[in-house]
Each structure stands twice: as structure tokens, then as C-alpha cells.
Amino acid sequence: MSFDVRFYVELCTLLFASVAAILRYKYLDWGGRYLCFWVLASLVTEIVAFYTAHVYKTNSLAYSVFGFVEVVLLCLFFRSVIDVFRRRKALIFVAIAMVILGLLNMLYLQPPKELNTNFIILEGFLIIGFCLFGLFRLLLYDGELDLFRNSNFWSISIVLVYWAADFLNIGLYNMLDRELSEKIGFVRDTIWALTLIVYSALAILFLNYRKLNKGSE
Amino acid sequence: MVLQLVIAGTFILTLFALFLIAVLIVHKNKQNKFYAEKAIQNYRHQNQILAVRLEAQEDVMTQISRELHDNISQLLGLTQVNIHLLADKTEEPEAKRLAGTIQGLISQVQSDLQNLSHSLNGTFINNLGLTEALTKEVEYINAARRMKCDLQIDGALPELTPERELLLFRIAQEAVHNALKHSGATELSIYLGSRDNKLHLSIRDNGGGFDTSDSGSSGIGMVNMQQRASSLQGRLLVESAPGRGTSVSVVIEI
């Protein structure tokens, strides 16, 4: 499958998720809204990345910048969905610290022309950690809780599966590209397929958000 | 080799994430089941406590009923005989007239006591059955001439256990008692009927009514009715507004 075809399929999935998120925006809680901004940011990033790949032959900068936006939005998302963080500013400080670390990484370790995998690995640890903590908090919830009708459970699970599956692929992307350039297509295809699954799952989540939250009231 | 490691690592991480999610779902389902069972146990326990409380109330009422019938009523009978003897020993016409009046009053008190004794006696009500007991209750109210009371029985009523009939009767009795005591009503109607596999009992008066949102309006009588309705696994509805009378209805599954 060519790069262009893959891009258009991914764009369609992202558009589907974005339209679903916008259509259901008023029914979303703040956790859902941050996920909606994340999907919209992904859509913009993919379009910019496609354009820069054609014009400048590299799209690393687009993905690097997206990494900063992503970490801020996901920290705000976790602040909304994990009960212990709701009235605390800890995750805002974590987001600021991550952006500073990312900028330092870009200035001193990985220049903008290559993907900031150091930052992505750190971001991956952080996000997987918060996902596990979020699920742990749901486990500790003292009372009846129907997980299948809980939007927080679904959103955290989607983010966890996405990052668990993509963590090594994206985190080691530069190394794989350098040492196994003939097989990097396989890694790209894996990331691409996973992205399609995650954005489709998010679209379904957005479309059912109202029903889910109504059921858990 | 590196690629294989990355693939293996990715698989392990993904499986780990999915495993964790599955564990969470299984654990939470178990927890939900536990909470549901606990709620059912609590409900059963509350019902048992309620049943014991209501049984104790019934025992007290039966004791009072026996006391009224076996002691006070007998004493009144004896008093009446003595007054009769006293009247026979006097030639004074005014004294004879007074003795007659007192005997009449004692007869009235005896009759009222007998009615009260019957109303309080659960065994007597169980022997009569709900419909007959309500009919008697209406007769007592009309005989007292404090208000006009009518009973409407709609269609064939289902067979209920004596315990359930007694609980329903006590709810009606409490509502009637409240209407007599507080409402200032001139008319009272009692409806008993069954439809859609449910038994409906309602007591409606045309009295002064009250504000149901006022917390002071739910006295012991109201609490007793609520408890009895919940013991019947039924629903008690009290509708009232100042100047618009009061309606107490209870609906139970047959």
C-alpha cells in the first residue's frame, strides 16, 4: 500500500472520529472533551505531516510538536478522569515539566529533523503509568460501578491499549529506521493499523458517550 | 533480532494491557455482585425488623382489645346491673329517670368499647376478612355520626393471606383515624379494587388537607403506614394540599 493511500485511509478514520467528537461535544464531560481535542490535534498533525513530508521530505517536526500538545492534553484528560487528581494541580505541573524536558531534548539531544523518541519514551511511561493508576482507582471505587457503562473506563482503556501497543514501535522508531531501514515498513504498517483501530474505537466511544454516562448515573 | 524483540515487546505490552483490563472487569463484576447481594440481605434484614415491630404492635393492640373486652366491658356491665338495682330501690321519679339515662350512656359506652375492641383485635379482623372488616369500620364511623363514610368495592378481590389483609386494614384504619382526628372532613370514601394484577386501596376525605412538603406533617401514624406498605412490598402515596382534602392510597402486587 502506497504512502498516499495509507494517509487517505488514516485521514478518513480521523475525520470520522473528529466528526463524531464534534457532533457529541455537548454531551462530553471534560475527560471526553480533552480526548476530542486530542483527536482534532491528531487530524491537524497528520495533514501537516503529509504536507511537510511531500515538500520538505521529513515530517519529524510535526510529530515532535504534536508530542508536546499530546502530553498536555492527556495530562488534562487524566486530571479529569482520575478522582484523586481532580482538585489538584499536580498534573498541570507534570505537563509543564514534560514540555520543558521535550524542548531541552529537542535543543540538546534530538534536533527537530529527527523524531524526538527520547521524549516519546518518557511520555509513554508517563501515560501508561497514569492509565494503570486510573484503572487502579476504578478498582478501588467503593460501590457498584458498571464498567461497561462507564465512559472513563473505556477512554482510559483505549489510551492504554494504544500506548502499550505503540510504545516500543514509536519509541524505538529512530533506531529501527537507522539499523533496519529495509524492515521499517512493517513498523510503519503496525503503527498505522493500530492508529486506525484506536481512532475508530474513539469514534464509537464519542457516539455512545451520552448513553454510557446516562447508564452509569 | 532487534525487530523480533520489538515485536515481542509490543505483543507482551499489549497483552499485559488487555489482561489488566480483563482482570479489572472480572473483579469489578464480582464486587458488583457482592454489593447487590449485600443490598438484598440488608433489604431482607430491614423487612424482618419491620415484621417483628409490626407483630409487636399487633400484640399490644390485641392485649388492649382483650383488656377492654374482658375487664372494662365486664365492669361496665356490673355497674349497669348495680344502677338497675339502685333504681329499683327508689321511688323517686327523678332518680329513676337519671338511672335510665346513665344506663343508656353505659350501653353506648359498652357498644363503642365493643367496636373498639373488635377494631384492635387482629384475630377478629382476620376471621372477618378485609372486606367485611372495612364494612364494619364504615358502619362504626357512620354510627358515630361524625362524618359520612362510604365504602366502594370494585370487582372480585383476590385472595390475600390473613397477614396481608390485616396490614391493609391497619393502613386503612390509620388513614381513617387521621381523617377523623385532624382533617375536619365531613365525607370520607374508601375504595378497594383490583386491576392490572394490583390491589388498590384508597382513603379519600374532603377535609382541610395539609402541605405534604412540610416535614412536620409526617407523624408516627404516617410512618406506621409507610412501614406497613413496605412490609407488603407495596407503594404508599399520600396526596394532599391545604383546603383540598387528603388521599392516602396503597398499591400492592397480587
Side-chain angles (χ1 to χ4, degrees):
Chain A
M1 205 185 286
S2 76
F3 177 74
D4 283 5
V5 173
R6 276 208 319 240
F7 168 73
Y8 288 123
V9 172
E10 189 178 343
L11 191 69
C12 285
T13 318
L14 260 171
L15 271 173
F16 172 49
S18 305
V19 169
I22 291 165
L23 280 176
R24 294 284 190 252
Y25 186 79
K26 67 175 175 177
Y27 303 123
L28 303 180
D29 52 23
W30 274 105
R33 285 179 185 181
Y34 288 126
L35 281 186
C36 164
F37 299 145
W38 182 45
V39 170
L40 293 175
S42 304
L43 178 68
V44 173
T45 305
E46 288 302 334
I47 294 168
V48 173
F50 181 73
Y51 175 77
T52 51
H54 274 279
V55 177
Y56 303 107
K57 306 294 171 203
T58 176
N59 53 16
S60 300
L61 183 64
Y63 286 121
S64 298
V65 171
F66 172 68
F68 298 151
V69 177
E70 184 176 49
V71 82
V72 170
L73 287 175
L74 288 181
C75 278
L76 292 172
F77 161 74
F78 287 120
R79 189 171 178 248
S80 299
V81 297
I82 301 176
D83 52 354
V84 287
F85 292 127
R86 257 172 223 152
R87 285 195 181 84
R88 294 189 179 137
K89 289 180 180 165
L91 282 184
I92 295 173
F93 296 131
V94 170
I96 294 167
M98 284 296 289
V99 172
I100 293 168
L101 285 174
L103 287 172
L104 290 174
N105 175 58
M106 204 181 258
L107 283 173
Y108 299 109
L109 298 172
Q110 290 177 313
K113 63 180 181 186
E114 62 178 284
L115 192 63
N116 55 350
T117 50
N118 294 341
F119 174 76
I120 289 170
I121 287 175
L122 190 64
E123 186 192 358
F125 274 120
L126 190 83
I127 288 168
I128 290 173
F130 280 129
C131 284
L132 295 178
F133 186 66
L135 292 178
F136 177 65
R137 290 301 304 174
L138 285 178
L139 191 70
L140 289 187
Y141 179 79
D142 192 20
E144 267 195 81
L145 182 69
D146 186 356
L147 289 180
F148 292 111
R149 291 195 164 273
N150 187 288
S151 59
N152 288 351
F153 165 72
W154 286 114
S155 50
I156 294 174
S157 298
I158 291 169
V159 174
L160 175 64
V161 171
Y162 173 64
W163 271 95
D166 242 5
F167 180 55
L168 288 178
N169 288 335
I170 303 181
L172 302 177
Y173 189 87
N174 286 348
M175 192 195 79
L176 293 170
D177 196 21
R178 257 194 323 268
E179 293 178 17
L180 293 159
S181 54
E182 74 282 3
K183 286 179 181 169
I184 196 70
F186 176 78
V187 176
R188 272 191 202 138
D189 285 346
T190 312
I191 297 171
W192 175 76
L194 200 72
T195 310
L196 295 189
I197 293 168
V198 167
Y199 290 129
S200 303
L202 280 174
I204 294 166
L205 174 68
F206 289 136
L207 290 173
N208 290 293
Y209 218 88
R210 193 183 175 196
K211 209 159 64 182
L212 288 175
N213 284 345
K214 228 181 198 175
S216 63
E217 271 168 12
Chain B
M1 183 65 184
V2 177
L3 188 64
Q4 276 90 333
L5 276 175
V6 170
I7 292 168
T10 301
F11 264 111
I12 289 167
L13 268 176
T14 313
L15 283 176
F16 176 65
L18 292 172
F19 174 73
L20 275 179
I21 293 166
V23 167
L24 178 66
I25 290 170
V26 170
H27 182 82
K28 209 70 207 171
N29 280 348
K30 268 189 186 170
Q31 214 177 34
N32 286 347
K33 212 172 153 186
F34 169 75
Y35 281 122
E37 275 170 12
K38 204 173 151 187
I40 290 170
Q41 271 179 359
N42 269 350
Y43 177 75
R44 279 188 191 145
H45 184 64
Q46 290 296 328
N47 263 2
Q48 275 172 354
I49 293 172
L50 199 61
V52 170
R53 197 180 294 157
L54 293 175
E55 211 178 298
Q57 278 182 5
E58 270 315 315
D59 282 348
V60 170
M61 284 198 272
T62 306
Q63 273 176 18
I64 294 171
S65 160
R66 274 196 205 124
E67 190 65 20
L68 289 175
H69 184 266
D70 300 346
N71 190 10
I72 299 173
S73 202
Q74 302 303 324
L75 285 173
L76 282 171
L78 201 60
T79 312
Q80 205 171 26
V81 170
N82 283 326
I83 289 170
H84 184 74
L85 289 172
L86 193 69
D88 281 352
K89 286 188 176 175
T90 181
E91 296 303 316
E92 193 74 38
E94 185 62 15
K96 277 188 182 291
R97 193 186 61 77
L98 270 174
T101 308
I102 293 168
Q103 277 181 315
L105 284 172
I106 290 174
S107 293
Q108 181 63 46
V109 172
Q110 270 184 315
S111 165
D112 286 354
L113 268 184
Q114 193 185 20
N115 290 345
L116 185 61
S117 168
H118 287 165
S119 294
L120 291 173
N121 194 317
T123 317
F124 181 79
I125 291 156
N126 278 341
N127 289 340
L128 276 183
L130 179 63
T131 316
E132 195 56 35
L134 283 174
T135 310
K136 287 258 179 216
E137 191 72 14
V138 170
E139 279 172 13
Y140 301 155
I141 298 164
N142 284 330
R145 294 182 183 179
R146 282 178 61 189
M147 63 167 74
K148 194 182 154 212
C149 182
D150 72 85
L151 170 69
Q152 191 195 342
I153 294 171
D154 194 8
L157 296 176
E159 285 242 349
L160 296 174
T161 59
E163 294 78 23
R164 296 187 94 194
E165 286 201 337
L166 184 60
L167 285 169
L168 274 172
F169 178 76
R170 291 290 182 223
I171 292 172
Q173 205 175 27
E174 188 72 53
V176 168
H177 175 78
N178 284 346
L180 283 168
K181 200 173 167 189
H182 308 292
S183 74
T186 54
E187 283 177 18
L188 182 81
S189 64
I190 303 173
Y191 168 87
L192 181 67
S194 73
R195 38 176 205 273
D196 309 327
N197 268 342
K198 288 184 175 97
L199 186 74
H200 298 252
L201 168 70
S202 70
I203 300 94
R204 204 180 293 269
D205 70 53
N206 67 343
F210 61 95
D211 184 0
T212 49
S213 61
D214 180 10
S215 58
S217 64
S218 45
I220 295 170
M222 204 63 87
V223 174
N224 280 342
M225 283 197 286
Q226 287 285 6
Q227 286 183 343
R228 287 193 168 104
S230 106
S231 187
L232 283 161
Q233 285 160 359
R235 196 163 48 89
L236 183 90
L237 185 68
V238 179
E239 291 169 291
S240 187
R244 288 185 164 186
T246 303
S247 161
V248 176
S249 42
V250 61
V251 182
I252 62 163
E253 297 281 341
I254 298 167

